Amino acid sequence: MSTTHLHSCTLCEATCGITVTVEDERVTGVRGDPEDPRSRGYLCPKATALADIHADPDRLRTPLIRSGDGWREAGWTEALDHAAAGLRAVRREDRDALAVYHGNPGAHNLGAVLYGLPFYHALRTRNLYSASSMDQLPHMLAAWRMFGHQGLLPVPDVDRTELFVCIGANPLVSNGSILTAPNMRDRLAALRRRGGRLVVLDPRRTETAAKADEHLFIRPGTDALLLASLVRVLFEENLVRASKPLSQVDVLRAAVREFGPERTAPVTGIPAATVRALARELAASPRAVVYGRIGVSTQEFGGACSWLITAVNALTGHLDEPGGAMFALPAVDLVPSAALIGQTGSTGTFRSRVRGLPEVAGELPVVALAEEIATPGPGRVRGLLTVAGNPALSSPDGSRLEAALPGLDFMVSVDPYLNETTRHANVILPPTVALERAHYELVMEHVAVRAVAKYSPAVFRRGPEQRHDWEILAGLATRVFAGRLAGRLPVPPPEVLVDLLLRRRRLSLRKLRAHPHGIDLGGLAPRFPHRLYTADGTVHLAPQAFLADLPRLRERLEREAADLLLIGRRQLRDNNSWMHNSRRLVKGRPRCTLLVHPSDARRFGLADGQRARLRSRTGAVLVPVEVTESVMPGVVSLPHGWGHHRAGTRMRIAEEHAGVSLNDITDTTFYDELTGTAALSGLPVSLEPAG
Ligand SMILES: Nc1nc2c(c(=O)[nH]1)N[C@H]1C(S)=C(S)[C@@H](COP(=O)(O)OP(=O)(O)OC[C@H]3O[C@@H](n4cnc5c(=O)[nH]c(N)nc54)[C@H](O)[C@@H]3O)O[C@H]1N2
Ligand SMILES: Nc1nc2c(c(=O)[nH]1)N[C@H]1C(S)=C(S)[C@@H](COP(=O)(O)OP(=O)(O)OC[C@H]3O[C@@H](n4cnc5c(=O)[nH]c(N)nc54)[C@H](O)[C@@H]3O)O[C@H]1N2
Ligand code: SF4
Ligand SMILES: [Mo]
């Protein structure tokens, strides 16, 4: 007998509504739900892989405890007791000796959000790390300094804008980031149909750039210079048209004076006339928006980029205005709740032990993790809890981190796979996966172009031997804090908390169950001034911390740049590092290739298909070369998340398509000094034919 279930795909930020058909405990189809108010039937090829993950024989379903050189399966009580005892022993004398790293899928997981985050904070360790410092921290810091709250992340109003300037993002492949807007292909096509323009600034002619009206090749890591020039032209040509209360306008004017477009053009590669034309067009368009994502946040000047993008939007009257950069209003709004408990943002309240790197948003930057484990002395990290993260492949200089992990006294991983990271653990606690658990989208709703309240029950009942992330995290938390009492402490399921949170918007779980496609709560609308959290009710255009970073940017103007820079690349059928064990996602031509411009291929004596040695300060990888004009001269591109050849993992399909890990050659000393965010893009490299 076949049954049909409504759910949401939680693999990426788009959070598409899906219809899953099941026969005999097997998924027979995953389709887009045409009645989902936001995704309206859209799906990308990854959604069907939800079925592969569910059925994957390599996926762990019972805990593993390290035993000699191998593993033994254990029951949950034993595994949780063992894990908690190990964690307790590590933090007995020094709370900071226990580090936590939590990764990306945790943000798409109701149980991990509700039970993980409070647990990590309750551990009161300074050594709290996450994927944020390889991702959106610069956006958060800019939001905090400019709007008074790190959770107020601007979302481009893509459905109403007439000029979409997309810098360092490839939404046609990533499906949008800090932009929950499924089906970007149709949305961008609609923009052009209504006479609007799409302008893309990217060192690679991406899938999005190929659909744009204008694509500008920009040299990696120089966007902040271009943005400073844009701001300067706005002032110089009297194009400022602010519509919201702004402060520090004159300070900003003075700060960007030295970044004239004629001066930055030779460094960015964008001619001064183009910068001027873009500034005029932004100012003249009634509805326009500048949007930047990973390409601008995970680079040397990530903080400056995020700041200046918002400054441009504000100065041209496109902040909190239809068609501009706006703010979502989710059914469960965690922004005021966080403000209520004083969590609007922070930096520098403490520092990392070894390099003295400042905390941002309560976390230390991931570029500090390996050295905190490897450097001897008081305060050394001796234990690690990883939850939904694979820093061995995802974090800069991952191989160095891996080399440090055996030096830990104890490591626990909450993860469904025995992979490059979890193979170092003492205990692996495998949770259920997406189709086995209920979902309510708490996090992405804060960056969605339409607010939708949707609850989906699990498609499959979890096996009696399985546990959800929330059960595992609550099980660990109670054992770490309450010791022997643990088993007897009742913990409410996430549904109880969601129901409570929903009631503040006169919604309830019951009501949501009656509307299984989701309840549409409307699109983006102006939110200022009541949603501003600055003390004076204005947008701060020139926060001191950002001004203080400008000398570093000025130095970039004068620096002799390396002649070959590495950038990353996301591909439609990848999801960072962890979905390569799905046959349908990895089949076809090997995708872990290095894109090289023909002029560079000639210069380094390389031909298409040949293997090359790509070297950085930290290491080298051997990669097949793809010669193409889609990257700019002086830039090479390699996707991240590959490198599945490590011994001792259990992902048989991924191993057959191993590729190499880009993060084997990235560098923990290359980061944005303002925000601590890893600079994963714009890394100086060299290239030569391999043997
Ligand atoms: N060079 C380079 N590096 C990058 C990036 C880049 O662009 N270039 N991008 C960065 C970005 S933006 C990010 S977000 C990070 C991601 O960094 P991470 O989050 O560390 O890495 P992922 O590859 O997403 O690994 C996710 C892990 O979670 C596990 N997992 C999957 N589902 C679940 C679940 O439901 N519960 C639990 N407990 N575990 C689960 C998977 O098995 C896997 O081990 O990578 C960063 N690294
Ligand atoms: N298919 C797929 N979708 C994903 C993911 C995935 O791994 N695969 N990961 C998810 C995650 S965790 C995230 S955070 C989002 C990211 O979402 P996006 O940011 O949209 O994704 P990317 O494809 O990394 O886009 C970054 C772009 O920046 C460009 N770039 C690199 N360096 C520079 C630079 O210095 N300046 C400029 N202007 N551009 C630069 C790159 O060429 C690339 O096109 O995607 C999410 N969606
Ligand atoms: S775009 Fe693809 S991966 Fe992302 S939520 Fe939608 S179906 Fe899932
Ligand atoms: Mo990310």
Side-chain angles (χ1 to χ4, degrees), residues 107-129:
H108 302 264
N109 178 323
L110 178 65
V113 172
L114 286 175
Y115 296 77
L117 297 179
F119 174 40
Y120 316 144
H121 285 281
L123 288 168
R124 305 214 10 226
T125 171
R126 289 165 179 234
N127 284 296
L128 181 55
Y129 302 84

Side-chain angles (χ1 to χ4, degrees), residues 233-488:
V233 174
L234 292 175
F235 284 119
E236 182 188 311
E237 300 194 9
N238 210 5
L239 298 169
V240 173
R241 315 252 181 285
S243 68
K244 300 283 159 171
L246 309 178
S247 58
Q248 307 168 338
V249 180
D250 292 333
V251 186
L252 179 61
R253 183 202 310 265
V256 297
R257 194 163 289 144
E258 60 189 309
F259 296 100
E262 289 72 18
R263 192 143 176 240
T264 58
V267 181
T268 61
I270 314 256
T274 308
V275 180
R276 289 185 184 279
L278 188 58
R280 287 174 203 145
E281 195 185 350
L282 279 165
S285 302
R287 294 179 166 198
V289 65
V290 181
Y291 162 73
R293 218 23 212 108
I294 283 292
V296 296
S297 64
T298 58
Q299 55 141 291
E300 219 182 335
F301 299 100
C305 287
S306 296
W307 162 45
L308 293 168
I309 284 173
T310 293
V312 171
N313 286 327
L315 291 171
T316 50
H318 302 311
L319 180 65
D320 195 41
E321 296 285 358
M326 304 192 80
F327 301 90
L329 195 63
V332 176
D333 192 353
L334 300 175
V335 169
S337 319
L340 218 56
I341 53 167
Q343 303 276 350
T344 52
S346 70
T347 182
T349 59
F350 57 87
R351 288 178 175 268
S352 70
R353 176 183 64 109
V354 178
R355 239 190 295 174
L357 299 180
E359 150 275 335
V360 179
E363 296 182 8
L364 285 175
V366 87
V367 293
L369 178 56
E371 69 204 21
E372 291 298 325
I373 301 170
T375 312
R380 183 176 82 85
V381 166
R382 291 182 289 105
L384 176 65
L385 168 66
T386 71
V387 181
N390 191 8
L393 294 193
S394 65
S395 74
D397 207 353
S399 40
R400 172 150 166 256
L401 175 65
E402 279 208 74
L405 293 178
L408 293 167
D409 295 351
F410 203 75
M411 174 170 163
V412 177
S413 290
V414 182
D415 201 291
Y417 283 99
L418 175 47
N419 66 16
E420 297 78 12
T421 297
T422 62
R423 70 191 176 119
H424 297 281
N426 295 80
V427 190
I428 306 177
L429 304 167
T432 53
V433 289
L435 297 181
E436 296 162 342
R437 63 180 180 236
H439 189 65
Y440 177 88
E441 185 52 61
L442 264 187
V443 176
M444 302 313 151
E445 286 297 314
H446 290 76
V447 291
V449 290
R450 284 203 87 75
V452 173
K454 174 173 173 180
Y455 173 78
S456 322
V459 173
F460 293 100
R461 199 189 291 268
R462 70 161 161 76
E465 79 289 8
Q466 289 184 281
R467 293 292 178 271
H468 297 301
D469 276 288
W470 74 268
E471 294 172 294
I472 299 169
L473 292 163
L476 280 179
T478 49
R479 280 169 175 82
V480 167
F481 297 120
R484 285 176 202 289
L485 258 176
R488 273 166 271 159

